[in-house]
């Protein structure tokens, strides 16, 4: 089977004065048809920048993005909106307040991509489809006439998810879709996503800070740190035996109501700057509890540690 | 006297399709140095309540009864200039939608310096230094240079941390934190909540922590208030709430939270949804979803038992 999404050496740099901020630095990844891949990592490590390039709303500095074996990385973001692939790759944005048009009612927010990318619709047909989508994500139909400022955070988040599902994408990229949702609605949405994957073979790239949710929904997980992938592999393997010291610290910090889990690893030391970072020094150096000499002179590369489990560290843990 | 006292507050919104009864008879209080958690489903009124306390409710909102007192001062009767004095200096809020709540055309460091200049009686140079220091405290890497960034140049979680820095800059007596860490990975979240906890201890800051992350609430709150459809249905010290929830909704909310290691199939959304808040509502707004419901539940306003710091609004509490 060929990957649905295949990304090679993707980079995005932003100018900051005379310097360059390396938001995404030589990232390669793939998503298979019907696969759910989780993307986790520290706030500011480049997850949104990466997924905004993949959904082609942001142009890469370098690298290739292949969707269904077609190169789409070179198509300027403004032109991509007019290609047929637009309907096939959809995105749920991180901040629902920012991504919903304040002059659209919830109904129109959901109907807009349907009108543009699907159809033609009859008035009744469109109404039925929008109400169906609202029902799928647990959004009460009586809220469809409201404007975004009249909705709560979690209600807006559900509008964002319904809108992205409307055009029946093959790849759905979700940037923190559940962070505004309470546990009950979250259960509804996660079950829905899982069902769409099983029934229709929809693929997901799922950015989340909620590691429990990643474990529930995803088969594979990618861990980023400051613009780089530091670990990736099957969810069970990575959660059971994290190899990268950052992953280990991350997993130890899950609030667990004191029931289980070992002591929390607190990272001390200053995080490195993403602006003009040294190409020789591991990005985690300085906060890493293991840091050795090699970490300051050579950037660790991703290495296979068994069964698709890869880690970029000179002193991987066991 | 508690620092913040909310007494029997009811608040409605006018909309094109009728009056939304967003809060009814809400009573809560927070003491100095205390962290009160507010949890409850999306749409239950948590943000509406915090806006009311800050005096920034939507223009369509009317308070039909009740009082909000801050250090004895009735905020609903206070003049606009008194409120302006309080906001930012004495009480500060972290908003749920971080990027849209920041000024888009002013560098983030400046925004923090602005509040300090206005409220803390410092020189411009001192304000700049303190702004950089605050950015460092919320763990923004390379704070000196990042202070010059605009909100659109920062990640979602970084905007959230800027807003936290902004809120904490003047050491407020009351912090209202509306989902303050949803955009943050668990390690950064832990660091930020440690910072909030430190301030609570050092300067006896009171915190209203709004979240639907029960794990976080369990870890950080002294007491927890549970809201459902505009009612406060239960208030209890944290450990007691989890050990012995008395309201059926609280019990449901706790059992719905995914345990680490649970499967997707084991997730059970809470049956039914929040009632439509327009029109006639039953005295118990949970009754249509409640497995304990009996005809007696419809017999007039719910009794509120208040003993040993616990409150539950239910006819048939556990
Ligand atoms: N301006 C408004 N007009 C009409 N209804 C409103 C308005 N603002 C909020 N509401 C409604 O009031 C209810 C409470 O909203 P609120 O934003 O307080 O929820 P919340 O508890 O903060 O939820 P979330 O966890 O999703 O943020 C919701 O049903 C919402 O739709
Ligand atoms: N337009 C821009 N100009 C300059 N820098 C930018 C721009 N957009 C993003 N960045 C920087 O790129 C880095 C990565 O940001 P990104 O939003 O991708 O992080 P993230 O992993 O999504 O974080 P979060 O979890 O907080 O949302 C950050 O340092 C951010 O400040
Ligand atoms: S009052 Fe009755 S319906 Fe309402 S929560 Fe209690 S038992 Fe259930
Ligand atoms: Mg992001
Ligand atoms: Mg809210």
């Amino acid at each position: 089977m060929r990957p649905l999404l295949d990304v090679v050496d993707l980079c995005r740099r932003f100018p900051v004065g005379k310097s360059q901020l390396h938001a995404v630095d030589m990232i390669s990844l793939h998503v298979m048809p019907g696969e759910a891949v989780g993307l986790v990592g520290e706030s500011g490590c480049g997850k949104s920048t990466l997924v905004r390039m993949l959904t082609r709303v942001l142009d890469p500095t370098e690298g290739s993005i292949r969707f269904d074996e077609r190169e789409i990385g070179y198509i300027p973001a403004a032109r991509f909106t007019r290609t047929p692939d637009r309907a096939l790759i959809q995105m749920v944005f991180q901040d629902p307040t920012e991504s919903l048009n304040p002059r659209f009612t919830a109904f129109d927010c959901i109907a807009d991509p349907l009108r543009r990318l699907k159809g033609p619709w009859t008035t009744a047909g469109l109404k039925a489809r929008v109400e169906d989508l609202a029902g799928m994500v647990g959004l009460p139909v009586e809220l469809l006439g409201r404007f975004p400022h009249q909705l709560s955070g979690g209600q807006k988040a559900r509008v964002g998810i319904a809108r992205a599902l409307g055009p029946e994408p093959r790849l759905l990229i979700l940037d923190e879709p559940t962070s505004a949702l309470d546990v009950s609605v979250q259960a509804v949405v996660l079950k829905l996503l899982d069902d769409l994957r099983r029934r229709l073979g929809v693929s997901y790239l799922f950015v989340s800070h909620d590691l429990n949710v990643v474990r529930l929904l995803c088969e594979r997980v990618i861990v980023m740190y400051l613009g780089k992938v530091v670990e990736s592999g099957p969810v069970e393997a990575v959660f059971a035996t994290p190899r990268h010291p950052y992953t280990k610290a991350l997993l130890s910090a899950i609030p667990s109501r004191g029931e289980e889990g070992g002591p929390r690893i607190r990272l001390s030391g200053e995080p490195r700057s993403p602006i003009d970072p040294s190409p020789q020094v591991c990005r985690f150096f300085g906060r890493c509890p293991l840091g050795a000499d090699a970490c300051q002179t050579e950037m660790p590369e991703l290495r296979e540690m068994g069964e698709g489990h890869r880690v970029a560290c000179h002193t991987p843990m066991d | 006297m508690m620092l913040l006292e909310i007494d029997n507050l009811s608040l409605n919104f006018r909309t094109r399709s009728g009056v939304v009864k967003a809060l009814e008879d809400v009573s809560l209080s927070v003491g100095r140095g205390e962290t009160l958690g507010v949890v409850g489903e999306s749409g239950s009124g948590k943000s509406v309540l915090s806006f009311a306390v800050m005096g920034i409710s939507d223009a369509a909102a009317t308070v039909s009864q009740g009082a909000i007192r801050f250090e004895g001062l009735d905020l609903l009767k206070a003049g606009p200039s008194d409120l302006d004095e309080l906001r930012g200096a004495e009480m500060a809020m972290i908003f749920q939608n971080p990027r849209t709540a920041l000024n888009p055309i002013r560098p983030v460091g400046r925004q923090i310096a602005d509040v300090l200049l206005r409220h803390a009686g410092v020189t411009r140079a001192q304000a700049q230094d303190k702004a950089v220091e605050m950015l460092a405290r919320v763990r923004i890497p390379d704070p000196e240079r990042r202070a010059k960034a605009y909100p659109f140049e920062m990640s979602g979680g970084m905007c959230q941390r800027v807003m936290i820095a902004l809120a904490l800059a003047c050491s407020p007596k009351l912090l209202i934190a509306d989902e303050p860490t949803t955009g943050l990975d668990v390690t950064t979240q832990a660091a930020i909540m440690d910072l909030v906890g430190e301030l609570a201890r050092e300067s006896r800051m009171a915190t209203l922590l709004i979240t639907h992350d029960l794990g976080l609430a369990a870890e950080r709150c002294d007491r927890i208030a549970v809201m459902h459809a505009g009612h406060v249905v239960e208030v209890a010290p944290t450990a007691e709430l989890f050990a012995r929830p008395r309201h059926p909704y609280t019990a449901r909310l706790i059992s719905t939270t995914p345990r680490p290691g649970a499967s997707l199939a084991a997730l059970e959304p809470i049956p039914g949804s929040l009632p439509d808040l327009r029109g006639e509502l039953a005295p118990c707004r949970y009754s249509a979803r409640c497995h304990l419901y009996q005809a007696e539940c419809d017999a007039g306003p719910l009794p509120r038992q208040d003993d040993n710091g616990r409150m539950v609004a239910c006819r048939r509490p556990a």
Side-chain angles (χ1 to χ4, degrees), chain A residues 43-44 46-49 51 94 175-176 207 209, chain B residues 99 155-157 183:
Chain A
S43 167
K47 301 176 300 294
S48 296
T49 305
V51 298
Q94 185 169 11
D175 196 354
E176 292 289 349
V207 180
H209 287 307
Chain B
R99 201 188 308 265
S155 78

Side-chain angles (χ1 to χ4, degrees), chain A residues 66-88:
Chain A
R66 292 177 74 79
F67 176 73
D68 205 13
E69 303 188 28
R70 293 182 293 281
E71 177 62 47
I72 58 168
Y74 301 123
I75 307 173
R79 190 142 57 80
F80 188 77
T81 50
R82 294 192 297 273
T83 70
D85 283 336
R86 176 70 292 166
L88 301 180

Side-chain angles (χ1 to χ4, degrees), chain A residues 42-43 97-98 142 149 152 154 158 179-182 184 191 194 209 216 250 257 259 264 266 273 275, chain B residues 20 42 58 97 99 142 145 157 161 182-186 194 212 219 259 262 264 267 270 276 278:
Chain A
E42 195 165 53
S43 167
T97 310
E98 199 181 8
E142 77 252 15
H149 78 273
S152 81
R158 278 173 271 173
S179 63
L181 304 180
D182 61 78
S184 181
K191 285 181 176 225
D194 196 56
H209 287 307
L216 280 172
L250 187 66
R257 296 222 311 264
E259 286 160 359
R264 171 173 295 172
R266 290 231 149 109
S273 175
I275 302 173
Chain B
V20 176
S42 171
D58 191 84
N97 47 341
R99 201 188 308 265
D142 207 349
R145 277 200 275 188
R161 283 177 282 157
T182 46
L184 301 180
D185 58 282
V186 283
D194 286 351
H212 34 238
E219 212 172 78
R259 309 263 141 175
L264 209 49
L267 285 195
I270 302 176
D276 187 343
R278 299 165 304 178

Side-chain angles (χ1 to χ4, degrees), chain B residues 107-118 127-128 130-132 134-135 138 161-167 169-170:
Chain B
V108 295
R110 283 275 183 79
Q111 299 191 38
I112 300 174
D114 287 346
V115 229
L116 286 162
L117 279 173
R118 193 156 357 113
Q128 300 280 349
K130 177 86 199 258
V132 172
M134 287 308 297
L135 289 176
V138 295
R161 283 177 282 157
V162 167
M163 182 140 28
I164 294 169
L166 205 63
C170 294

